[in-house]
Each structure stands twice: as C-alpha cells, then as structure tokens.
C-alpha cells in the first residue's frame, strides 16, 4: 500500500529527525532498530511480527486456539496490513491483549495496554470507551439474538446505498483529524465522486460473516469461559459500520480495532466447526481461501500466504509451549500443509 513507502522514508530519516508527526512509541522503536544496526528489512520484519505475537498472546491461556488464530491471521489477508498501516496494527495488537483483562474486570491492566497502544497510534484514544460500556452491562455481552443480528445485517446493506460518507466527513472532520486520519478523509472526499463497485472478495467475506452470525449463539456457548462473547460484540458493531461506510477509507481505518477482531471471531468459529460440524469447517476454509484469491488475483500470492501461515505456526511452536501446541488442531495443520504443497506443485 501507499503507507509502506512513507514508513520506509520515516525509518531512514528518524535519526536526523522526522518531517511529520509520529507517536513516541513508534519513533523509539525505529531508533532502537537503528541503534542495533539493523536495516529497513529487519524493521519491516519486526513490525510485522509484533502484531502476530500480540494476537497469539491474546489467547495465551487457550492453547487449542493458537493454530486457528495464526492461520486466520495469515491466510485471510489480516497479515497484509502489517506492511502498510504499521502503527495502527501494532496498536490493535495491544488492544486485542487488553480484552482478556476486560473480561476479568482488571481495569488497570486493560487501560495500561490501551495506553501502550496509544504510544503507537493516537487513534487508540477512542478505545477508552470500551471498558465502561461493558462494565455497565456487568461485563456481559449485549448481542445475543441471531434474528436481530440478521435484520441489522440486512439493514446495513440498505444503508450502504445512501452514500453517507460525505455527510459523515463534514460532520466529524475535526474528530477524524484528531485521531490521525486527515489524509484518509481527503482521499474519501475525492473518491466519493468516483465510480464505486464491490468485488468478489467483499461478497465472499460477507458470506463468511453470515455463516458466523447464524452460528454465533452456539459458538459463544461452546467457548463461554473465554472472552469470545465480548470480542463478538465489538466485532459485530465494527463489521456493520464497515458495511454501511464501505466507501470510506477513513472510517475503515477508525474501525480497524473492531473489524480486525474478526481474526478471533473466525478462529473460534473454525474451531467450533472443526469439533462439532466438520462440513461447515471445510466450507469456511474454502471460502477463506477463495477470498485470498479474489483479493490477490494470483495463485502465487495465495500459495505464498498459505506457506507463510505454515511457517509462522512452525516458528511459534518452536518458541514456546511446544507440547501443548502440537496437540491442537491436527486437521487444520494437515489442510494448510496440503495447500502449501499444492501451490509448490503448481509452480
């Protein structure tokens, strides 16, 4: 994406002094990598690995979820933004880790992690409202009825047709600038007058979302000891708003903290289907792979993404809790290895 070259420039310039605003935490990370003597290749490698580590860290008490979380992160195009919106993806990682303390009513730890996220992207300031919203409901989920979700999901597609992007930018421009999205808002204003259409990737993603919504009650019940109900609520709100404002880059950036939680929602759904409904498991995996193809328009990219997923799983298995991690999700590992070998065969 366009941000990649901006971050490349920032990294090479940071020692002499940056010519644009940058959060303190991210600037210190760049300076540290410079002091160690590593170049920009290691900079992008490290900033790509940090979100992956934090995402796995978010489920550290659930060894059975390590493989599906890594697989979704790598296979379903969540890994791609780590070479583009670097600061916010790192901030998202800390937000993901903060959800478990929210469930455990550990408000101090939750806000400490939000504060660290703020050091990497100031948009994390908006996340301070999450804790009190769930505290008001005694840390219970708000969204429970599947029928209501389906109605809201359908209404989102109707509202999408009204083109609310320009109105929203005019009404909340100062807030958008405060959270660091002035460039995206300017891009939205330009794109609002251009032809806009939705592709196959979007349609397949919505099909996956529909599968998850229809089984959400069973998924949350199956993993009721985990924060999945809270994660699902936040993701659902973000997903609905992202559909309504699908034309807006600035809104998509602001909603990233919510929509990226699909990593966990989809991972829990995959694991539930694997255990209880194997046919749905294979259907969902097939849809995920088709999404990668639709977004990339390349078998080679899809094969590389799958190979990356397998490689990262192997690396993290070697780094810690080897015994526990090897015992989980054998079917998923076999499927990913099959896809990787198939892509090598095509080559």
């Amino acid at each position: 994406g366009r941000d990649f070259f901006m971050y490349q420039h920032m990294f090479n310039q940071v020692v002499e002094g940056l010519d644009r605003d940058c959060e303190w935490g991210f600037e210190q990370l760049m300076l540290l990598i410079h002091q160690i003597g590593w170049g920009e290749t290691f900079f992008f490698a490290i900033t790509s690995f940090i979100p992956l580590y934090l995402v796995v860290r978010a489920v550290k008490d659930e060894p059975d979820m390590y493989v599906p979380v890594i697989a979704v992160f790598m296979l379903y195009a969540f890994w791609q933004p780590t070479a583009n919106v670097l600061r916010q993806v790192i901030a998202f990682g800390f937000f993901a880790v903060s959800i478990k303390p929210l469930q455990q009513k550990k408000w101090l730890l939750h806000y400490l992690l939000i504060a660290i996220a703020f050091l990497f992207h100031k948009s994390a300031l908006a996340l301070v409202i999450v804790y009190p919203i769930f505290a008001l409901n005694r840390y219970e989920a708000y969204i429970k009825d599947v029928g209501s979700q389906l109605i809201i999901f359908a209404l989102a597609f109707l509202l999408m047709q009204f083109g609310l992007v320009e109105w929203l930018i005019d009404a909340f421009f100062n807030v958008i600038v405060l959270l660091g999205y002035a460039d995206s808002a300017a891009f939205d204003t330009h794109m609002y007058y251009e032809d806009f259409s939705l592709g196959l990737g979007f349609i397949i993603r919505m099909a996956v979302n529909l599968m998850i919504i229809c089984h959400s009650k069973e998924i949350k019940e199956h993993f009721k000891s985990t924060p999945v109900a809270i994660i699902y609520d936040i993701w659902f709100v973000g997903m609905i708003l992202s559909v309504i404002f699908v034309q807006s880059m600035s809104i998509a950036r602001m909603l990233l903290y919510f929509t990226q939680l699909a990593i966990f929602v989809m991972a829990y759904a995959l694991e539930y289907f694997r255990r209880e409904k194997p046919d749905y498991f294979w259907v969902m995996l097939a849809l995920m792979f088709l999404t990668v193809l639709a977004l990339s328009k390349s078998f080679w990219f899809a094969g590389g993404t799958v190979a990356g997923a397998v490689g990262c799983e192997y690396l993290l298995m070697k780094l810690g809790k080897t015994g526990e991690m090897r015992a989980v999700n054998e079917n998923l590992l076999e499927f990913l290895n099959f896809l990787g070998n198939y892509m090598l065969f095509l080559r």
Side-chain angles (χ1 to χ4, degrees), residues 12-32:
N12 292 323
Q13 188 190 43
V14 68
V15 175
E16 288 77 22
L18 297 173
D19 58 5
R20 61 173 294 146
D21 292 337
C22 178
E23 288 79 4
W24 183 85
F26 193 75
E27 184 176 359
Q28 294 306 307
L29 176 62
M30 290 190 291
L31 287 170
L32 176 62

Side-chain angles (χ1 to χ4, degrees), residues 17-236:
L18 297 173
D19 58 5
R20 61 173 294 146
D21 292 337
C22 178
E23 288 79 4
W24 183 85
F26 193 75
E27 184 176 359
Q28 294 306 307
L29 176 62
M30 290 190 291
L31 287 170
L32 176 62
I33 295 172
H34 264 290
Q35 289 173 0
I36 295 173
W38 292 344
E40 64 182 45
T41 301
F42 283 98
F43 164 68
F44 284 109
I46 290 168
T47 52
S48 294
F49 184 77
I50 290 173
L52 175 60
Y53 170 76
L54 291 172
V55 162
V56 176
R57 180 74 179 176
V59 291
K60 69 181 181 67
D61 298 327
E62 306 167 58
D64 286 357
M65 295 306 302
Y66 291 172
V67 172
V69 163
I70 297 169
V72 172
F73 184 88
M74 296 295 295
L75 181 61
Y76 202 60
F78 290 112
W79 177 64
Q80 292 166 286
T82 59
N84 192 31
V85 286
L86 296 182
R87 293 173 296 156
Q88 192 172 2
V89 172
I90 293 174
F92 163 76
F94 286 103
F95 173 58
V97 176
S98 77
I99 294 177
K100 185 70 173 180
L102 189 159
Q103 182 205 24
Q104 298 171 335
K105 306 177 186 178
K106 297 179 179 179
W107 66 270
L108 187 59
L109 178 56
H110 172 79
Y111 277 119
L112 175 62
L113 290 164
I114 297 299
I116 296 173
F118 179 75
L119 294 178
F120 285 90
H121 203 280
K122 56 187 175 183
S123 62
L125 179 66
L127 299 174
V128 298
I129 65 170
V130 173
Y131 192 95
I133 287 173
F134 282 96
L136 287 172
N137 201 39
R138 299 182 180 179
Y139 306 93
E140 296 290 334
Y142 284 89
I143 301 169
K144 297 178 181 180
D145 182 62
V146 173
S148 299
Q149 292 180 62
L150 292 173
I151 293 171
I152 295 170
F153 190 58
L155 287 174
F157 283 91
L158 291 176
L159 290 172
M160 181 178 67
Q161 308 302 318
F162 286 95
L164 302 175
V165 173
E166 188 180 29
W167 170 84
L168 194 72
I169 291 172
D170 290 340
F172 298 99
F173 184 79
N174 290 334
V175 176
I176 292 171
V177 172
L178 175 66
L179 296 177
Y181 299 111
D183 292 344
S184 297
F187 183 80
D188 285 346
T189 304
H190 169 72
M191 287 300 294
Y192 183 76
Y193 297 101
E194 302 291 331
D195 291 334
F196 179 81
S197 61
L198 299 174
L200 180 61
F202 176 84
I203 296 170
I204 300 174
R205 278 177 181 265
M206 293 304 104
V208 173
N209 291 343
L210 187 60
M211 278 185 66
I212 294 172
I213 290 170
C214 291
H215 294 87
S216 59
K217 187 174 182 180
E218 297 98 309
I219 293 168
K220 287 187 280 189
E221 179 63 27
H222 192 85
F223 296 101
K224 59 184 177 182
S225 63
T226 74
V228 66
I230 294 175
I231 291 171
Y232 184 90
D233 273 15
I234 301 172
W235 165 78
F236 183 81

Side-chain angles (χ1 to χ4, degrees), residues 300 341-347:
W300 306 117
N341 291 331
Y342 181 66
M343 288 303 157
L344 289 174
F345 172 76
L346 286 178
R347 186 175 183 181

